Amino acid sequence: MQSRLDTSPISNWWWTIDRWFLAAFLSLLGLGIVLSFAASPAVAERIGLDSFHFATRQIIFSIPALGVMLAVSFLNARQIRRLALGILCLMLVMMVAVLYIGVEVKGARRWLSFAGMSIQPSEFLKPAFVVICAWLFAEHKRQPEIPGNLFAMILLGLVLALLLAQPDMGQTLLVVGTWGVMFFMAGLSWVWIIALGGLGIAGLFAAYEIFPHVAGRIDRFLTGEGDTFQVDMGHEALVNGGWLGLGPGEGTIKRLIPDSHADFVFAVAGEEFGLITCMVIAAIFAFIVLRGLSVSLKEHDDFTRYAIGGLVTVFGLQSVINMCVNLQLMPAKGMTLPFISYGGSSQIAIAVSMGMVLALTRRKPQKRKPLAYGFSSSILPAE
């Protein structure tokens, strides 16, 4: 247990960290490991691997993810901006490279392969993009003569162009939605709201007309015709589990779902542990988003407010999309459930993002005043 009289960086971190956030993130990491043992054996056996191949790798990925999240949480706001700028520049270069040398899967180029490992640059791009846009919005508000909003729009256009070139409509929706929320927080006028809303609707219609796979997914969702096997099985697994589930390892429909360990792990949770467990998982995600927005509203620094709001928004939107697809509430889209779905690249990227949240929500300690007999005062949160 760290003493309040301890002046070390670890002690300062312990007494200033938002422990509710930390507990929520650790809970999701733990749930991800538990559910990987339930969801992945059938997939591994189907492709000729050891039953616990994916579960073991999930644990292996979770260890560096935890380390990255804690390491980033030690940074201050200025260091977060510098880290985000470095990641943004590197990921933009990698997203250009992925168009030429990326691994093609089902007609899309989204991954780069290095030494047997696959990296999805767009996953790491999201938190960096959010932080840099937050800084640009904040600089424009602090000094209106600085065209921060214009630069944020240019950056948005660049990122969207690279995402659509892959193509990746899911990440495109996440980026646009999060950017819109941040722009709203920065005080955009109703003229901008109407204009951007119109552009967004026009963009959806354009995507339907331009990208056949987008049109196919929307048509299947609206008509129920075509290949809806995986989505149907995911929904049936949730129904089959009932309120309390069939029990660990007792699920049967999960064995028929090709991506049960990744995009449809929420359905496996419902079949084996019940809808009550699914509601608990949804409640943890909701808690993170609502607490993040609540904390951001109390922040006096514009950059910190926009960054926290943007980071929890993209986190929440991604989780909502995944759960809605599992519940057949929206067209199918390959989107992982943060910290829970299998995936090394996405785990580390989400860890970076939530490490930034932990860093930016740390309470600002007051300066310590020396006391009698050479002791120093304890750390107290600034009012």
Side-chain angles (χ1 to χ4, degrees), residues 200-245:
I201 294 173
L204 289 175
F205 279 105
Y208 181 87
E209 294 295 333
I210 295 172
F211 299 108
H213 71 284
V214 174
R217 287 177 177 178
I218 294 176
D219 290 342
R220 287 194 295 271
F221 174 73
L222 295 175
T223 64
E225 299 176 355
D227 183 11
T228 60
F229 175 78
Q230 185 157 233
V231 176
D232 291 340
M233 289 298 99
H235 181 264
E236 189 173 338
L238 286 163
V239 174
N240 192 44
W243 287 104
L244 300 177

Short mmCIF file of all heavy atoms in Angstrom, two decimals, residues 200-245:
data_model
loop_
_atom_site.label_atom_id
_atom_site.label_comp_id
_atom_site.label_asym_id
_atom_site.label_seq_id
_atom_site.Cartn_x
_atom_site.Cartn_y
_atom_site.Cartn_z
N GLY A 200 -23.12 14.07 -43.90
CA GLY A 200 -23.09 12.70 -43.39
C GLY A 200 -24.13 11.82 -44.05
O GLY A 200 -23.84 10.68 -44.46
N ILE A 201 -25.35 12.33 -44.20
CA ILE A 201 -26.42 11.57 -44.84
C ILE A 201 -26.08 11.32 -46.32
O ILE A 201 -26.25 10.22 -46.84
CB ILE A 201 -27.76 12.32 -44.73
CG1 ILE A 201 -28.18 12.38 -43.25
CG2 ILE A 201 -28.84 11.64 -45.57
CD1 ILE A 201 -29.40 13.24 -43.00
N ALA A 202 -25.55 12.37 -46.97
CA ALA A 202 -25.15 12.21 -48.37
C ALA A 202 -24.04 11.18 -48.51
O ALA A 202 -24.00 10.39 -49.47
CB ALA A 202 -24.69 13.55 -48.93
N GLY A 203 -23.11 11.16 -47.54
CA GLY A 203 -22.02 10.20 -47.56
C GLY A 203 -22.52 8.77 -47.44
O GLY A 203 -21.99 7.85 -48.10
N LEU A 204 -23.55 8.54 -46.61
CA LEU A 204 -24.11 7.20 -46.46
C LEU A 204 -24.73 6.72 -47.76
O LEU A 204 -24.56 5.57 -48.17
CB LEU A 204 -25.15 7.19 -45.33
CG LEU A 204 -24.61 7.33 -43.91
CD1 LEU A 204 -25.75 7.42 -42.91
CD2 LEU A 204 -23.70 6.16 -43.55
N PHE A 205 -25.48 7.60 -48.42
CA PHE A 205 -26.07 7.24 -49.70
C PHE A 205 -24.99 6.96 -50.75
O PHE A 205 -25.10 6.04 -51.56
CB PHE A 205 -27.01 8.35 -50.19
CG PHE A 205 -28.37 8.31 -49.56
CD1 PHE A 205 -28.72 9.22 -48.59
CD2 PHE A 205 -29.29 7.36 -49.94
CE1 PHE A 205 -29.99 9.19 -48.00
CE2 PHE A 205 -30.56 7.30 -49.36
CZ PHE A 205 -30.90 8.23 -48.38
N ALA A 206 -23.93 7.78 -50.72
CA ALA A 206 -22.84 7.58 -51.67
C ALA A 206 -22.14 6.24 -51.44
O ALA A 206 -21.80 5.52 -52.39
CB ALA A 206 -21.83 8.72 -51.56
N ALA A 207 -21.92 5.91 -50.15
CA ALA A 207 -21.29 4.63 -49.83
C ALA A 207 -22.13 3.46 -50.32
O ALA A 207 -21.61 2.45 -50.81
CB ALA A 207 -21.06 4.52 -48.32
N TYR A 208 -23.44 3.59 -50.18
CA TYR A 208 -24.36 2.54 -50.65
C TYR A 208 -24.24 2.34 -52.16
O TYR A 208 -24.28 1.20 -52.65
CB TYR A 208 -25.79 2.91 -50.27
CG TYR A 208 -26.82 1.89 -50.67
CD1 TYR A 208 -27.13 0.82 -49.83
CD2 TYR A 208 -27.51 1.99 -51.88
CE1 TYR A 208 -28.07 -0.13 -50.20
CE2 TYR A 208 -28.45 1.05 -52.26
CZ TYR A 208 -28.73 -0.01 -51.41
OH TYR A 208 -29.66 -0.95 -51.77
N GLU A 209 -24.08 3.44 -52.88
CA GLU A 209 -24.01 3.36 -54.34
C GLU A 209 -22.63 2.93 -54.84
O GLU A 209 -22.52 2.25 -55.85
CB GLU A 209 -24.36 4.72 -54.94
CG GLU A 209 -25.80 5.15 -54.71
CD GLU A 209 -26.81 4.25 -55.40
OE1 GLU A 209 -26.44 3.64 -56.43
OE2 GLU A 209 -27.95 4.14 -54.92
N ILE A 210 -21.57 3.33 -54.11
CA ILE A 210 -20.21 3.11 -54.60
C ILE A 210 -19.65 1.74 -54.21
O ILE A 210 -18.99 1.07 -55.00
CB ILE A 210 -19.28 4.23 -54.09
CG1 ILE A 210 -19.71 5.58 -54.68
CG2 ILE A 210 -17.83 3.94 -54.44
CD1 ILE A 210 -18.98 6.77 -54.10
N PHE A 211 -19.92 1.33 -52.95
CA PHE A 211 -19.31 0.10 -52.43
C PHE A 211 -20.33 -1.03 -52.43
O PHE A 211 -21.29 -1.01 -51.64
CB PHE A 211 -18.77 0.32 -51.02
CG PHE A 211 -17.71 1.38 -50.94
CD1 PHE A 211 -17.99 2.62 -50.35
CD2 PHE A 211 -16.44 1.15 -51.44
CE1 PHE A 211 -17.02 3.59 -50.27
CE2 PHE A 211 -15.46 2.13 -51.36
CZ PHE A 211 -15.75 3.36 -50.78
N PRO A 212 -20.15 -2.04 -53.29
CA PRO A 212 -21.11 -3.16 -53.36
C PRO A 212 -21.27 -3.90 -52.04
O PRO A 212 -22.38 -4.34 -51.70
CB PRO A 212 -20.50 -4.08 -54.43
CG PRO A 212 -19.63 -3.18 -55.26
CD PRO A 212 -19.09 -2.16 -54.30
N HIS A 213 -20.17 -4.06 -51.27
CA HIS A 213 -20.28 -4.82 -50.02
C HIS A 213 -21.12 -4.07 -48.99
O HIS A 213 -21.81 -4.69 -48.18
CB HIS A 213 -18.89 -5.14 -49.46
CG HIS A 213 -18.15 -3.96 -48.91
ND1 HIS A 213 -17.54 -3.01 -49.71
CD2 HIS A 213 -17.92 -3.57 -47.62
CE1 HIS A 213 -16.96 -2.10 -48.95
NE2 HIS A 213 -17.18 -2.40 -47.69
N VAL A 214 -21.07 -2.73 -49.03
CA VAL A 214 -21.91 -1.93 -48.13
C VAL A 214 -23.38 -2.10 -48.51
O VAL A 214 -24.24 -2.32 -47.65
CB VAL A 214 -21.51 -0.44 -48.18
CG1 VAL A 214 -22.48 0.41 -47.37
CG2 VAL A 214 -20.09 -0.27 -47.67
N ALA A 215 -23.66 -1.99 -49.81
CA ALA A 215 -25.03 -2.16 -50.28
C ALA A 215 -25.56 -3.55 -49.94
O ALA A 215 -26.71 -3.71 -49.53
CB ALA A 215 -25.08 -1.92 -51.79
N GLY A 216 -24.68 -4.57 -50.09
CA GLY A 216 -25.09 -5.94 -49.81
C GLY A 216 -25.46 -6.13 -48.35
O GLY A 216 -26.47 -6.77 -48.03
N ARG A 217 -24.66 -5.56 -47.45
CA ARG A 217 -24.94 -5.72 -46.02
C ARG A 217 -26.22 -5.00 -45.63
O ARG A 217 -27.01 -5.50 -44.82
CB ARG A 217 -23.75 -5.20 -45.20
CG ARG A 217 -22.54 -6.11 -45.27
CD ARG A 217 -21.36 -5.53 -44.51
NE ARG A 217 -20.24 -6.45 -44.53
CZ ARG A 217 -19.05 -6.17 -43.97
NH1 ARG A 217 -18.86 -5.00 -43.38
NH2 ARG A 217 -18.08 -7.06 -44.02
N ILE A 218 -26.42 -3.81 -46.16
CA ILE A 218 -27.64 -3.06 -45.84
C ILE A 218 -28.87 -3.78 -46.39
O ILE A 218 -29.90 -3.90 -45.70
CB ILE A 218 -27.55 -1.62 -46.38
CG1 ILE A 218 -26.44 -0.85 -45.64
CG2 ILE A 218 -28.89 -0.91 -46.24
CD1 ILE A 218 -26.20 0.55 -46.18
N ASP A 219 -28.76 -4.28 -47.62
CA ASP A 219 -29.89 -5.01 -48.22
C ASP A 219 -30.21 -6.27 -47.43
O ASP A 219 -31.39 -6.59 -47.20
CB ASP A 219 -29.57 -5.37 -49.68
CG ASP A 219 -29.54 -4.15 -50.59
OD1 ASP A 219 -30.09 -3.11 -50.19
OD2 ASP A 219 -28.94 -4.25 -51.69
N ARG A 220 -29.19 -7.01 -47.01
CA ARG A 220 -29.43 -8.22 -46.22
C ARG A 220 -30.08 -7.89 -44.89
O ARG A 220 -30.93 -8.62 -44.40
CB ARG A 220 -28.11 -8.98 -46.02
CG ARG A 220 -27.61 -9.69 -47.25
CD ARG A 220 -26.51 -10.69 -46.92
NE ARG A 220 -25.31 -10.03 -46.42
CZ ARG A 220 -24.32 -9.59 -47.18
NH1 ARG A 220 -24.41 -9.71 -48.51
NH2 ARG A 220 -23.25 -9.01 -46.65
N PHE A 221 -29.67 -6.77 -44.30
CA PHE A 221 -30.24 -6.37 -43.02
C PHE A 221 -31.71 -5.99 -43.17
O PHE A 221 -32.54 -6.34 -42.32
CB PHE A 221 -29.45 -5.18 -42.46
CG PHE A 221 -30.03 -4.60 -41.20
CD1 PHE A 221 -29.93 -5.28 -40.00
CD2 PHE A 221 -30.70 -3.37 -41.23
CE1 PHE A 221 -30.48 -4.74 -38.83
CE2 PHE A 221 -31.24 -2.83 -40.08
CZ PHE A 221 -31.13 -3.52 -38.87
N LEU A 222 -32.04 -5.29 -44.24
CA LEU A 222 -33.41 -4.81 -44.44
C LEU A 222 -34.35 -5.90 -44.93
O LEU A 222 -35.52 -5.93 -44.55
CB LEU A 222 -33.42 -3.64 -45.43
CG LEU A 222 -32.70 -2.36 -44.96
CD1 LEU A 222 -32.69 -1.33 -46.08
CD2 LEU A 222 -33.37 -1.79 -43.71
N THR A 223 -33.84 -6.80 -45.77
CA THR A 223 -34.71 -7.82 -46.37
C THR A 223 -34.60 -9.19 -45.73
O THR A 223 -35.51 -10.02 -45.84
CB THR A 223 -34.40 -7.96 -47.87
OG1 THR A 223 -33.05 -8.45 -48.03
CG2 THR A 223 -34.52 -6.60 -48.58
N GLY A 224 -33.45 -9.45 -45.07
CA GLY A 224 -33.24 -10.77 -44.50
C GLY A 224 -32.86 -11.81 -45.53
O GLY A 224 -32.76 -13.01 -45.20
N GLU A 225 -32.64 -11.39 -46.75
CA GLU A 225 -32.27 -12.32 -47.83
C GLU A 225 -30.76 -12.33 -48.03
O GLU A 225 -30.08 -11.36 -47.74
CB GLU A 225 -32.98 -11.92 -49.13
CG GLU A 225 -34.50 -11.94 -49.02
CD GLU A 225 -35.16 -11.44 -50.29
OE1 GLU A 225 -34.43 -11.00 -51.20
OE2 GLU A 225 -36.40 -11.49 -50.37
N GLY A 226 -30.24 -13.44 -48.56
CA GLY A 226 -28.81 -13.55 -48.80
C GLY A 226 -28.11 -14.28 -47.66
O GLY A 226 -28.75 -14.93 -46.82
N ASP A 227 -26.79 -14.15 -47.63
CA ASP A 227 -25.99 -14.85 -46.64
C ASP A 227 -26.00 -14.09 -45.31
O ASP A 227 -25.25 -13.15 -45.10
CB ASP A 227 -24.54 -14.99 -47.14
CG ASP A 227 -23.68 -15.79 -46.18
OD1 ASP A 227 -24.24 -16.39 -45.24
OD2 ASP A 227 -22.45 -15.79 -46.35
N THR A 228 -26.89 -14.51 -44.42
CA THR A 228 -26.98 -13.90 -43.09
C THR A 228 -26.68 -14.94 -42.01
O THR A 228 -27.08 -14.79 -40.86
CB THR A 228 -28.38 -13.31 -42.86
OG1 THR A 228 -29.36 -14.36 -42.97
CG2 THR A 228 -28.69 -12.22 -43.88
N PHE A 229 -25.95 -16.00 -42.41
CA PHE A 229 -25.75 -17.15 -41.50
C PHE A 229 -25.12 -16.73 -40.18
O PHE A 229 -25.64 -17.04 -39.10
CB PHE A 229 -24.87 -18.20 -42.19
CG PHE A 229 -24.51 -19.35 -41.30
CD1 PHE A 229 -25.43 -20.36 -41.04
CD2 PHE A 229 -23.25 -19.42 -40.69
CE1 PHE A 229 -25.09 -21.42 -40.20
CE2 PHE A 229 -22.92 -20.48 -39.86
CZ PHE A 229 -23.84 -21.48 -39.61
N GLN A 230 -24.00 -16.02 -40.24
CA GLN A 230 -23.27 -15.71 -39.01
C GLN A 230 -24.08 -14.80 -38.08
O GLN A 230 -24.13 -15.02 -36.86
CB GLN A 230 -21.91 -15.05 -39.33
CG GLN A 230 -21.05 -14.82 -38.10
CD GLN A 230 -19.59 -14.70 -38.41
OE1 GLN A 230 -18.76 -15.39 -37.83
NE2 GLN A 230 -19.23 -13.82 -39.34
N VAL A 231 -24.73 -13.80 -38.65
CA VAL A 231 -25.56 -12.90 -37.85
C VAL A 231 -26.73 -13.65 -37.24
O VAL A 231 -27.07 -13.46 -36.07
CB VAL A 231 -26.05 -11.72 -38.71
CG1 VAL A 231 -26.99 -10.84 -37.91
CG2 VAL A 231 -24.88 -10.91 -39.23
N ASP A 232 -27.35 -14.52 -38.03
CA ASP A 232 -28.49 -15.32 -37.53
C ASP A 232 -28.05 -16.23 -36.39
O ASP A 232 -28.76 -16.37 -35.38
CB ASP A 232 -29.10 -16.14 -38.65
CG ASP A 232 -29.81 -15.28 -39.68
OD1 ASP A 232 -30.16 -14.13 -39.36
OD2 ASP A 232 -30.00 -15.76 -40.83
N MET A 233 -26.88 -16.87 -36.55
CA MET A 233 -26.38 -17.75 -35.51
C MET A 233 -26.04 -16.98 -34.23
O MET A 233 -26.27 -17.46 -33.12
CB MET A 233 -25.14 -18.51 -36.01
CG MET A 233 -25.44 -19.57 -37.05
SD MET A 233 -26.51 -20.91 -36.46
CE MET A 233 -28.10 -20.39 -37.12
N GLY A 234 -25.49 -15.77 -34.39
CA GLY A 234 -25.18 -14.95 -33.23
C GLY A 234 -26.44 -14.60 -32.46
O GLY A 234 -26.47 -14.69 -31.21
N HIS A 235 -27.47 -14.21 -33.17
CA HIS A 235 -28.75 -13.88 -32.52
C HIS A 235 -29.35 -15.11 -31.85
O HIS A 235 -29.87 -15.04 -30.73
CB HIS A 235 -29.70 -13.30 -33.56
CG HIS A 235 -31.03 -12.90 -32.99
ND1 HIS A 235 -32.14 -13.72 -33.02
CD2 HIS A 235 -31.41 -11.75 -32.35
CE1 HIS A 235 -33.15 -13.10 -32.44
NE2 HIS A 235 -32.74 -11.90 -32.03
N GLU A 236 -29.28 -16.26 -32.55
CA GLU A 236 -29.85 -17.49 -31.98
C GLU A 236 -29.09 -17.92 -30.73
O GLU A 236 -29.69 -18.45 -29.78
CB GLU A 236 -29.81 -18.60 -33.03
CG GLU A 236 -30.57 -19.86 -32.61
CD GLU A 236 -30.67 -20.88 -33.72
OE1 GLU A 236 -30.55 -20.50 -34.90
OE2 GLU A 236 -30.86 -22.07 -33.39
N ALA A 237 -27.77 -17.69 -30.71
CA ALA A 237 -26.98 -18.03 -29.52
C ALA A 237 -27.44 -17.21 -28.32
O ALA A 237 -27.56 -17.74 -27.19
CB ALA A 237 -25.50 -17.79 -29.80
N LEU A 238 -27.71 -15.94 -28.53
CA LEU A 238 -28.19 -15.10 -27.44
C LEU A 238 -29.54 -15.58 -26.93
O LEU A 238 -29.78 -15.63 -25.71
CB LEU A 238 -28.29 -13.64 -27.91
CG LEU A 238 -26.96 -12.89 -28.07
CD1 LEU A 238 -27.15 -11.65 -28.92
CD2 LEU A 238 -26.41 -12.50 -26.70
N VAL A 239 -30.43 -15.94 -27.85
CA VAL A 239 -31.75 -16.43 -27.46
C VAL A 239 -31.63 -17.77 -26.75
O VAL A 239 -32.30 -18.03 -25.74
CB VAL A 239 -32.66 -16.57 -28.70
CG1 VAL A 239 -33.99 -17.23 -28.32
CG2 VAL A 239 -32.91 -15.20 -29.33
N ASN A 240 -30.74 -18.64 -27.23
CA ASN A 240 -30.56 -19.97 -26.67
C ASN A 240 -30.06 -19.92 -25.23
O ASN A 240 -30.40 -20.78 -24.41
CB ASN A 240 -29.57 -20.76 -27.53
CG ASN A 240 -29.54 -22.23 -27.20
OD1 ASN A 240 -30.59 -22.85 -27.02
ND2 ASN A 240 -28.35 -22.82 -27.14
N GLY A 241 -29.28 -18.89 -24.90
CA GLY A 241 -28.73 -18.80 -23.55
C GLY A 241 -29.73 -18.37 -22.51
O GLY A 241 -29.57 -18.70 -21.32
N GLY A 242 -30.77 -17.66 -22.91
CA GLY A 242 -31.74 -17.19 -21.93
C GLY A 242 -31.14 -16.18 -20.96
O GLY A 242 -30.13 -15.55 -21.24
N TRP A 243 -31.77 -16.05 -19.82
CA TRP A 243 -31.31 -15.07 -18.83
C TRP A 243 -30.04 -15.49 -18.12
O TRP A 243 -29.19 -14.65 -17.82
CB TRP A 243 -32.41 -14.82 -17.79
CG TRP A 243 -33.56 -14.04 -18.31
CD1 TRP A 243 -34.80 -14.51 -18.66
CD2 TRP A 243 -33.58 -12.64 -18.59
NE1 TRP A 243 -35.59 -13.50 -19.13
CE2 TRP A 243 -34.88 -12.33 -19.09
CE3 TRP A 243 -32.65 -11.62 -18.46
CZ2 TRP A 243 -35.24 -11.04 -19.47
CZ3 TRP A 243 -33.01 -10.33 -18.83
CH2 TRP A 243 -34.29 -10.04 -19.33
N LEU A 244 -29.89 -16.78 -17.84
CA LEU A 244 -28.76 -17.24 -17.02
C LEU A 244 -27.72 -18.03 -17.79
O LEU A 244 -26.65 -18.35 -17.25
CB LEU A 244 -29.29 -18.09 -15.86
CG LEU A 244 -30.25 -17.36 -14.90
CD1 LEU A 244 -30.75 -18.32 -13.83
CD2 LEU A 244 -29.56 -16.16 -14.26
N GLY A 245 -27.97 -18.37 -19.05
CA GLY A 245 -27.00 -19.08 -19.86
C GLY A 245 -27.02 -20.58 -19.64
O GLY A 245 -27.62 -21.09 -18.69
#
